Amino acid sequence: MDAQGRGRADDIDPADQWVLNPNTGEYELRLAPSAAQSSVPGPRGSGGRGTTGRGGTTARGGAARTGRTAPARRPGAAAPDDDAPSPRRRTGAPAEAAGRRGRRPAPKKAKGKKVLMWTGGTLAFVLIGASGAAYLYYEHLNNNITSVSDDGAGTGGFSKDRAINILLIGTDKRTGKGNEGYGDKNSAGHADTTLVLHVSKDRSNATVLSIPRDLITDIPDCPTTQEDGSEKVIPGKQRTRFNNSLGQEERTPSCTMRTITELTGLKMDHFMVADFNAVKTLTSAVGGVDVCLAKDIKDPDSKLDLPKGEHTIEGEEALAFVRTRHSVGFGGDLSRIELQQQFLGSMMRKLKSNDTLTSPSKMIKLAEAGTKALTVDSQISTIKKLADLGAELGKFDTKNLTFATVPVVDNPAEKIKATVVLKEPQAQQLFAMVRDDVSLTEVKQEKKKEKAAEAARLKGTKAPASEVRVRILNGGAVAGSAQETLSWLQVQEGVTKSENAGNAEQPLAKTTLEYGPDEADQARRLAEIMGLSGAALKPGKSVTNSQGVPAMTLTLGKDFEGAGVPLTTPKKVPEDVQKATADKVECAK
């Protein structure tokens, strides 16, 4: 399994002891009759003991039962909760819930569940620069996981009924054996490689946004949980490099989360952080990643030395590949981002190939490497929670996974160009598309009937502005938005039969216009004036306004940016946005 040995006296590869049962479609653990231990180690500190009974015997007949064998448990010990955090985290992780986990009894046979098959969780891990793992439901993997608090910066956890946003960070912190030659020797590290993974609500597509590390942005104040459980607010910083959102001034990943939300308007569900070791161990675990070079590259800085053509790389060579920048493109960070996207797309294809999915050996190695290589937020700090997330992330095809780089231009305030700033309005258009769950690729699985119905709401006659009756509610927009909109509609747009109805009972993420059956022509006119999409129009019922007559209800959601600012989401990616899909082979130039 690893160099720690776990107290084993033999060198049997645990993957070789898992056998596919053709009758059930599941992998089963088969031990030799004389085996005294399971090949699946117990939690750290267990001395390498497996899940056999105290007498060292295996299941009846000398072979283990399907799945895990029943572990020994002290009389009266309670069965553990599957979602309970691991009792021991790696050094550097804040203390989590106290109390040791009890050992689980032998689980009932799970019908139809191929426990060693790829669950989709590999995708999220891989996107940081190759941090992939297939999740196995075994307690010993929980002990590999390092977790830290999200400090309330996230949503509190992903949900199956909405889109998922995950922050993926590759840090340049110089830690771990074999990493002495990388990163800054005395630095706490930075957000060196940052990606935002957005998975659509219907799971038909996904987008990965690469955030340039040298982007000038604002870092907000960051409430941060300390090791003793107290909270410390790390002051924000204006007009600084994005990569300072992690590591510097004791900032944790939750601060990078807050910075991303301020920058893009996207609230993150979770974060995952990987260091240099993630690339090395995970590419080796999967058997190497295929890459293509359009020219010879010999970079003394990253130590990459490869001739033109196709190659399969892993370990140190893979790390050198994703770190090189001076020898590709224009020799800067943006060129490196493009190279990393090509690498990640290739690794995605490798992970979803039959060569990987049908290999118990590779799957177990990926599980071990992935759980050791990553730091995750405390909301997903168990194998069960990671597996649930992985199941959601594995539902879309790689051809519908789009990598895109946030549009930027050189910082005009600098004579010697070292940083970049957002390119507007392209950056805001791209952020809006992701926020509104618009795929950057054509997705055949789109609900065509629903889209057609939304488009139809905007077609037809439109009432004069003077006949539009509407009540305006603030449902999550900044304070004063309802009054601002009222004044704009009455003074500039001629919608005189409008009124401010105060605050909505519940906040909304997006602005909506609800109207009755005989108010469709009014709704179309107001949609035209305000730039509302068909999705914002909600056929329903009218309400009585202060004059005692029927009126529509306009609720300004969190997406509202001001009176006169259209709320229609772009349907086409701006031309200047660099993007590529994960299913295509690209050669680095």
Side-chain angles (χ1 to χ4, degrees):
M1 298 289 280
D2 57 29
Q4 296 178 18
R6 303 288 202 274
R8 291 174 53 90
D10 55 15
D11 293 322
I12 297 175
D13 186 338
D16 293 337
Q17 296 176 288
W18 290 89
V19 180
L20 179 65
N21 185 332
N23 296 321
T24 64
E26 299 178 1
Y27 284 95
E28 300 178 359
L29 182 62
R30 303 288 177 82
L31 301 181
S34 60
Q37 298 179 354
S38 165
S39 63
V40 180
R44 290 184 180 180
S46 65
R49 298 293 179 189
T51 52
T52 55
R54 291 182 179 178
T57 59
T58 58
R60 185 177 302 172
R65 295 175 183 173
T66 301
R68 288 179 297 173
T69 53
R73 193 171 38 162
R74 295 188 303 275
D81 182 349
D82 278 348
D83 288 344
S86 172
R88 185 174 178 178
R89 299 294 184 202
R90 294 204 296 265
T91 302
E96 296 286 334
R100 288 189 65 85
R101 295 158 59 93
R103 292 189 175 184
R104 298 183 179 86
K108 294 181 180 180
K109 185 175 180 180
K111 295 181 179 180
K113 183 178 288 185
K114 298 181 175 74
V115 295
L116 286 178
M117 297 304 286
W118 184 73
T119 63
T122 11
L123 167 62
F125 283 16
V126 151
L127 293 175
I128 318 179
S131 37
Y135 302 120
L136 310 178
Y137 292 90
Y138 297 107
E139 187 172 348
H140 80 281
L141 289 181
N142 281 321
N143 297 315
N144 290 341
I145 301 171
T146 299
S147 69
V148 295
S149 175
D150 70 356
D151 300 313
T155 62
F158 76 95
S159 175
K160 294 183 178 181
D161 59 356
R162 58 179 171 80
I164 297 175
N165 294 312
I166 301 177
L167 174 62
L168 309 168
I169 308 172
T171 176
D172 59 359
K173 185 176 181 180
R174 181 174 146 175
T175 57
K177 184 178 180 181
N179 291 327
E180 295 82 1
Y182 305 116
D184 298 328
K185 182 176 181 181
N186 299 314
S187 173
H190 303 78
D192 191 55
T193 298
T194 304
L195 306 108
V196 174
L197 168 63
H198 172 86
V199 183
S200 66
K201 179 179 178 180
D202 64 5
R203 306 298 187 258
S204 67
N205 65 90
T207 299
V208 178
L209 290 181
S210 292
I211 313 294
R213 66 179 187 179
D214 296 324
L215 173 66
I216 295 298
T217 189
D218 295 336
I219 299 175
D221 292 344
C222 300
T224 306
T225 303
Q226 305 299 297
E227 290 191 10
D228 61 1
S230 64
E231 183 179 281
K232 173 183 177 181
V233 178
I234 300 175
K237 195 169 184 178
Q238 305 299 306
R239 309 304 295 166
T240 186
R241 276 183 167 90
F242 175 85
N243 67 352
N244 289 324
S245 66
L246 177 69
Q248 305 305 299
E249 300 178 38
E250 299 183 337
R251 294 188 180 96
T252 65
S254 66
C255 191
T256 308
M257 276 183 121
R258 297 183 194 278
T259 305
I260 285 290
T261 299
E262 289 287 325
L263 178 68
T264 68
L266 289 164
K267 185 100 171 182
M268 296 295 103
D269 295 303
H270 300 288
F271 65 73
M272 299 179 183
V273 185
D275 60 15
F276 292 124
N277 275 327
V279 179
K280 294 189 288 186
T281 59
L282 292 165
T283 52
S284 295
V286 78
V289 175
D290 299 328
V291 297
C292 179
L293 297 178
K295 63 180 181 180
D296 298 345
I297 292 182
K298 189 170 185 178
D299 185 353
D301 293 322
S302 70
K303 301 179 177 63
L304 180 65
D305 187 358
L306 285 176
K308 174 182 177 180
E310 298 181 355
H311 305 274
T312 300
I313 58 176
E314 62 178 274
E316 293 285 351
E317 197 168 47
L319 179 59
F321 185 88
V322 298
R323 291 184 68 242
T324 192
R325 56 175 174 153
H326 299 302
S327 300
V328 293
F330 295 104
D333 186 49
L334 297 180
S335 296
R336 185 183 67 150
I337 286 175
E338 188 173 351
L339 188 77
Q340 289 174 344
Q341 291 174 348
Q342 295 169 8
F343 176 87
L344 295 173
S346 178
M347 190 164 186
M348 275 293 305
R349 296 191 295 273
K350 185 64 174 286
L351 286 165
K352 297 191 75 171
S353 69
N354 289 333
D355 181 54
T356 299
L357 299 182
T358 58
S359 170
S361 176
K362 287 183 179 179
M363 298 306 287
I364 288 180
K365 288 177 182 177
L366 279 168
E368 288 292 334
T371 51
K372 290 176 182 177
L374 299 170
T375 296
V376 301
D377 67 88
S378 53
Q379 304 289 345
I380 47 170
S381 60
T382 67
I383 295 300
K384 182 181 184 301
K385 291 178 179 178
L386 285 170
D388 289 343
L389 174 60
E392 295 301 305
L393 301 181
K395 292 181 177 179
F396 59 86
D397 195 299
T398 52
K399 68 181 180 181
N400 294 328
L401 168 62
T402 306
F403 294 98
T405 303
V406 172
V408 294
V409 294
D410 288 335
N411 188 347
E414 296 175 335
K415 291 183 178 180
I416 300 177
K417 305 304 181 184
T419 62
V420 294
V421 295
L422 291 178
K423 184 175 184 179
E424 303 293 12
Q426 289 88 338
Q428 297 307 323
Q429 291 172 351
L430 181 60
F431 296 154
M433 292 183 71
V434 178
R435 285 196 305 267
D436 289 348
D437 214 15
V438 177
S439 174
L440 303 193
T441 57
E442 294 184 5
V443 182
K444 294 181 180 179
Q445 295 88 345
E446 266 190 337
K447 300 175 181 177
K448 293 183 178 180
K449 290 184 179 180
E450 181 179 341
K451 296 296 181 182
E454 292 174 358
R457 293 169 196 162
L458 298 173
K459 297 179 179 179
T461 59
K462 300 180 180 68
S466 60
E467 298 300 320
V468 173
R469 297 184 301 275
V470 61
R471 299 169 67 250
I472 306 169
L473 296 174
N474 190 329
V478 298
S481 292
Q483 185 59 43
E484 177 193 2
T485 302
L486 175 67
S487 299
W488 175 73
L489 286 174
Q490 290 185 341
V491 175
Q492 297 189 39
E493 300 298 329
V495 184
T496 55
K497 297 178 181 179
S498 52
E499 63 183 34
N500 184 349
N503 293 326
E505 293 183 1
Q506 297 292 334
L508 296 178
K510 297 181 180 181
T511 297
T512 62
L513 176 62
E514 185 174 3
Y515 55 95
D518 58 347
E519 296 172 326
D521 58 342
Q522 296 182 46
R524 286 190 284 268
R525 175 62 68 189
L526 190 59
E528 179 184 63
I529 292 172
M530 295 198 63
L532 300 177
S533 67
L537 272 59
K538 305 295 181 183
K541 60 181 181 180
S542 59
V543 294
T544 302
N545 65 13
S546 61
Q547 304 299 315
V549 295
M552 302 182 294
T553 300
L554 173 67
T555 305
L556 306 178
K558 295 179 180 179
D559 62 338
F560 183 75
E561 297 182 358
V565 179
L567 291 170
T568 304
T569 303
K571 299 301 180 183
K572 185 178 180 181
V573 182
E575 293 183 0
D576 294 336
V577 175
Q578 179 274 320
K579 68 184 185 75
T581 54
D583 63 321
K584 295 180 180 179
V585 178
E586 300 283 351
C587 291
K589 300 178 181 179

